Amino acid sequence: MRGAFSSQIYAHISPWLMSWPGTFKMAECGASGSGSSGDSLDKSITLPPDEIFRNLENAKRFAIDIGGSLTKLAYYSTVQHKVAKVRSFDHSGKDTERDHEPPYEISVQEEITARLHFIKFENTYIEACLDFIKDHLVNTETKVIQATGGGAYKFKDLIEEKLRLKVDKEDVMTCLIKGCNFVLKNIPHEAFVYQKDSDPEFRFQTNHPHIFPYLLVNIGSGVSIVKVETEDRFEWVGGSSIGGGTFWGLGALLTKTKKFDELLHLASRGQHSNVDMLVRDVYGGAHQTLGLSGNLIASSFGKSATADQEFSKEDMAKSLLHMISNDIGQLACLHARLHSLDRVYFGGFFIRGHPVTMRTITYSINFFSKGEVQALFLRHEGYLGAIGAFLKGAEQDNPNQYSWGENYAGSSGLMSTSPELGPAQRARSGTFDLLEMDRLERPLVNLPLLLDPPSYVPDTVDLTDDALARKYWLTCFEEALDGVVKRAVASQPDSVDAAERAEKFRQKYWNKLQTLRQQPFAYGTLTVRSLLDTREHCLNEFNFPDPYSKVKQRENGVALRCFPGVVRSLDTLGWEERQLALVKGLLAGNVFDWGAKAVSDVLESDPYFGFEEAKRKLQERPWLVDSYSEWLQRLKGPPHKCALIFADNSGIDIILGVFPFVRELLLRGTEVILACNSGPALNDVTHSESLIVAERIAGMDPVVHSALREERLLLVQTGSSSPCLDLSRLDKGLAALVRERGADLVVIEGMGRAVHTNYHAALCCESLKLAVIKNAWLAERLGGRLFSVIFKYEVPAE
């Protein structure tokens, strides 16, 4: 069966895959896979079936959405992957400083997590796909498959026969709404506006913490318009019989073209003004006195009644697309105004990421609402029904109680369908589109201290927008790839296949970078954060959970031995001198960032480079951004009630930089919440590592010891596994603690957390953002030099 599946699918997708980097050649014999024809077809492929239907052997539950032309399959699987765990040694009776033992031991363990898989393909391949799924199903725990869409009836018998699962049909609209709510809540940059004159044309919206109410316009064969008020309350408010089916049907009659995507391609090359009667055709130059643009369509197909010439297929297809899109846009706008809604999401097979369609709908909405209503499109609009059907079937597991995150390593990303682009960048009609979502251990929420959560944007620079910065950072990540591969292999010296897995990681991440060069909007707004997160996802994909674990273990041990001396030295200083020394210590600690090439080169070439050497690297005052005098003045006032500190790197940073600063705040009477990553990223300190470090420091310092015992110093996890920081997706427990303790100071340290992200974040309390710029290009862009200092103290306006 696998041969039949391969020959049917690869034959169709090979033209698209030919242009993708990293493809390889595979010979298939015969169209049926039996080899009987003897014809050898040389096909270029990248994804074998088990890379499309990933982890199928551990699939637990299924859902399917079958439309008129596309099938969307959803399934839930358990994923086994490696995680690095740390555990404190028993040091009783030992002089650990003399023994120079590491502060903790590291073990790699297997952990099981949940993942949602979504696959989209043409109905042509449904039987071959069902056969492949049947042959590889092992552990499914359900006897039912939730199904939605018109095809749920058409293919019911086939599905039950092939999969031996009972088909349970779900209401189409309920599934669409559930799916839409899910992606809006869980996928940052899910929604975007389309701006035709921008480069690129997609402008992604920051996730709004309150997604309701909104209008959903689903354009399938016809049009359904639904007002969504809450998770479970929605109302069908209107619709039209003039939709995607109308475009397809009339288009076929006019052009003799039967395929939907071919019609769209014809339309993209047409000139509608050859067929449509425009305002200037009716009024001549007098249209200006009416306040109308001469390019407005006065009558769709108006010229065809009087003209003698034949019209091209392209022009007729373009005119038809404009006519239907304008009609839908006006209808949606009227309903939005009627129900006082300013957000309209468009979905359905008619959209399919096609620029001309989105451009026309956007123009129509803007024109008729005078800019008061916003037309929004969704990256994953094609999956809404399948997601909703899955959620309906999984209600007993309450999937909405969790937060979910897109796994960039296993997702295809949004592709432009612009005809000007090459085949690799066009819509992948007839190919497989993938989306994977990982269940996060804990729910994620906004930081309660954000001044205005709806307007919060984590990232400082939008690389989708900034072509120069995009080119630099993509090249930077490409050049760093050898070092990451080397570090990954070194982190698993006892593994026989580490080098092989590291090469697979290299290829996958390299391919992602090449995709992002061509399609910077593939996963939403492209930022330094998304490049870093994609790299972490690819590392995890090939079982490199923490490539810097040994580096962190060694550096934590060295720094712990230095801690008593650093504290003694600080305690000998006068108050004002000590405050500057503490800040310089924070900054010097932040130099030790293995993610910065300028630093990793120094650390690898000079094993004696330490805390004092880092201090000497720092820019002299005045710093590039220097609010230190204002901070010092504030310290002369009453103590803060509670400080929330987001830590950055392990080793010298957390132990010799952050903890002395924490200790000083505790001595002032300020409670401290120290927040560290839930999972590993680069050499950033994790929550589990911080617990051991704090325990060791408490054994050496009575101030920290008593603060931990009395719960004036609390160590919590952020819910993140990123070198950057998104304050709109933080651990729910951390948010509750911030409210409970009344935090009135937020300290964010590090280039990833305070410069690449959150540099412009507005908080409703005092904040300190500090970092050392360890990238020469970025430093120059900011007006400084390598190792320039950012020390930004902000007080919210009254």
Side-chain angles (χ1 to χ4, degrees), residues 93 102 105 144 233 530 711 747:
E105 61 178 330
V144 175
R233 192 166 77 243
S530 67
E711 295 188 344
V747 180

Side-chain angles (χ1 to χ4, degrees), residues 62-169:
F62 284 86
I64 197 165
D65 173 17
I66 309 175
S69 59
L70 294 174
T71 295
K72 286 78 68 176
L73 179 73
Y75 61 95
Y76 156 92
S77 76
T78 51
V79 180
Q80 195 168 38
H81 60 97
K82 295 189 185 324
V83 292
K85 296 283 188 181
V86 297
R87 187 171 66 87
S88 186
F89 286 116
D90 179 10
H91 288 295
S92 56
K94 289 187 178 181
D95 182 348
T96 56
E97 287 195 31
R98 186 187 66 223
D99 292 344
H100 285 213
E101 281 190 4
Y104 51 81
E105 61 178 330
I106 305 167
S107 60
V108 176
Q109 300 175 13
E110 297 285 345
E111 192 171 86
I112 294 176
T113 57
R115 176 172 289 170
L116 295 179
H117 306 255
F118 304 99
I119 304 155
K120 183 166 61 178
F121 52 90
E122 280 194 356
N123 290 353
T124 312
Y125 308 114
I126 188 168
E127 187 167 357
C129 290
L130 291 175
D131 277 327
F132 183 82
I133 293 167
K134 177 191 70 176
D135 291 345
H136 291 77
L137 271 184
V138 179
N139 296 318
T140 183
E141 59 188 30
T142 180
K143 298 302 178 187
V144 175
I145 181 170
Q146 262 62 37
T148 188
Y153 298 88
K154 180 179 177 181
F155 292 100
K156 175 180 179 293
D157 293 341
L158 178 67
I159 294 169
E160 291 186 339
E161 175 198 337
K162 295 288 186 183
L163 299 187
R164 298 182 181 87
L165 299 175
K166 180 180 180 295
V167 171
D168 191 353
K169 294 185 286 292

Side-chain angles (χ1 to χ4, degrees), residues 226-518:
V226 183
K227 178 186 177 184
V228 184
E229 296 182 275
T230 67
E231 192 73 51
D232 300 307
R233 192 166 77 243
F234 58 87
E235 175 188 6
W236 185 89
V237 295
S240 171
S241 61
I242 300 173
T246 314
F247 173 69
W248 200 345
L250 281 178
L253 291 173
L254 289 168
T255 69
K256 310 304 179 189
T257 300
K258 296 295 185 181
K259 289 194 173 181
F260 188 85
D261 282 307
E262 287 181 15
L263 269 175
L264 287 175
H265 187 58
L266 285 175
S268 69
R269 292 184 284 134
Q271 180 54 258
H272 76 97
S273 59
N274 292 334
V275 181
D276 293 341
M277 188 176 291
L278 307 183
V279 167
R280 67 169 178 260
D281 298 321
V282 177
Y283 293 100
H287 67 82
Q288 294 176 343
T289 62
L290 300 173
L292 295 174
S293 166
N295 292 322
L296 280 177
I297 298 172
S299 175
S300 295
F301 289 91
K303 289 180 180 175
S304 60
T306 56
D308 292 329
Q309 84 266 22
E310 291 287 324
F311 296 104
S312 73
K313 292 180 179 182
E314 290 83 357
D315 292 348
M316 289 189 291
K318 183 67 162 283
S319 176
L320 181 62
L321 185 63
H322 272 300
M323 182 180 78
I324 292 171
S325 299
N326 275 322
D327 184 65
I328 293 169
Q330 183 177 22
L331 189 63
C333 177
L334 291 171
H335 279 286
R337 300 293 289 271
L338 182 65
H339 295 281
S340 302
L341 299 173
D342 59 5
R343 282 176 293 163
V344 182
Y345 295 103
F346 289 88
F349 88 90
F350 182 66
I351 303 294
R352 295 175 79 165
H354 195 268
V356 178
T357 311
M358 294 189 292
R359 182 189 311 158
T360 310
I361 288 174
T362 299
Y363 178 84
S364 179
I365 288 276
N366 287 338
F367 180 82
F368 290 111
S369 75
K370 296 181 171 60
E372 293 179 8
V373 177
Q374 192 172 39
L376 292 156
F377 305 93
L378 301 170
R379 280 176 56 209
H380 300 103
E381 55 87 14
Y383 292 114
L384 302 187
I387 292 172
F390 175 84
L391 294 173
K392 282 285 290 179
E395 282 178 342
Q396 68 269 28
D397 296 332
N398 197 8
N400 280 321
Q401 73 179 321
Y402 301 101
S403 290
W404 300 77
E406 183 175 2
N407 174 29
Y408 297 142
S411 298
S412 306
L414 178 70
M415 293 293 168
S416 171
T417 53
S418 173
E420 291 79 22
L421 298 173
Q425 287 81 49
R426 288 198 195 127
R428 291 157 297 171
S429 170
T431 65
F432 287 79
D433 191 271
L434 312 176
L435 167 65
E436 289 185 354
M437 302 281 291
D438 286 333
R439 192 179 76 191
L440 308 179
E441 286 187 20
R442 298 156 73 93
L444 303 181
V445 298
N446 279 307
L447 176 70
L449 299 174
L450 283 172
L451 184 64
D452 181 30
S455 66
Y456 168 70
V457 178
D459 303 285
T460 306
V461 178
D462 180 351
L463 302 182
T464 326
D465 227 6
D466 190 331
L468 185 64
R470 179 170 73 245
K471 182 180 179 182
Y472 170 77
W473 284 111
L474 285 169
T475 302
C476 190
F477 278 87
E478 286 172 358
E479 291 175 348
L481 198 45
D482 283 344
V484 178
V485 168
K486 179 182 172 185
R487 181 65 54 191
V489 174
S491 72
Q492 298 181 5
D494 301 326
S495 172
V496 294
D497 66 342
E500 180 186 348
R501 286 185 286 112
E503 281 305 312
K504 289 180 179 178
F505 153 74
R506 181 207 299 275
Q507 190 61 55
K508 183 151 208 171
Y509 188 55
W510 174 267
N511 288 345
K512 293 285 181 187
L513 292 175
Q514 304 322 302
T515 297
L516 291 168
R517 279 196 184 275
Q518 300 296 326

Side-chain angles (χ1 to χ4, degrees), residues 611-767:
F611 193 41
E612 296 304 318
E613 288 76 14
K615 288 180 186 177
R616 290 194 286 272
K617 284 274 188 187
L618 298 178
Q619 174 192 14
E620 293 293 330
R621 290 196 67 202
W623 296 320
L624 183 60
V625 176
D626 195 335
S627 307
Y628 176 74
S629 299
E630 292 83 348
W631 170 246
L632 184 65
Q633 194 60 37
R634 171 61 185 86
L635 289 178
K636 293 175 181 176
H640 296 89
K641 185 176 189 300
C642 178
L644 168 62
I645 300 177
F646 290 99
D648 189 6
N649 305 303
S650 275
I652 287 175
D653 192 359
I654 182 79
I655 294 166
L656 304 186
V658 173
F659 263 100
F661 185 79
V662 166
R663 182 176 178 271
E664 184 76 11
L665 290 175
L666 292 169
L667 288 169
R668 281 174 55 81
T670 300
E671 293 183 343
V672 175
I673 301 170
L674 184 59
C676 301
N677 267 9
S678 298
L682 295 172
N683 66 313
D684 293 2
V685 64
T686 64
H687 173 62
S688 56
E689 290 162 352
S690 73
L691 292 174
I692 295 172
V693 164
E695 175 195 349
R696 294 290 305 276
I697 289 175
M700 298 182 275
D701 186 84
V703 176
V704 173
H705 182 271
S706 62
L708 283 171
R709 190 183 67 243
E710 296 162 9
E711 295 188 344
R712 290 182 293 110
L713 171 58
L714 298 149
L715 278 67
V716 297
Q717 54 184 311
T718 61
S720 170
S721 299
S722 170
C724 297
L725 181 64
D726 182 352
L727 296 176
S728 68
R729 286 173 69 82
L730 291 178
D731 185 89
K732 191 175 182 179
L734 168 58
L737 195 58
V738 165
R739 277 192 294 265
E740 177 192 315
R741 295 298 174 109
D744 53 357
L745 171 66
V746 174
V747 180
I748 306 175
E749 66 133 355
M751 205 162 77
R753 291 167 179 78
V755 179
H756 291 313
T757 53
N758 299 304
Y759 189 75
H760 300 301
L763 303 175
C764 57
C765 68
E766 296 172 51
S767 64

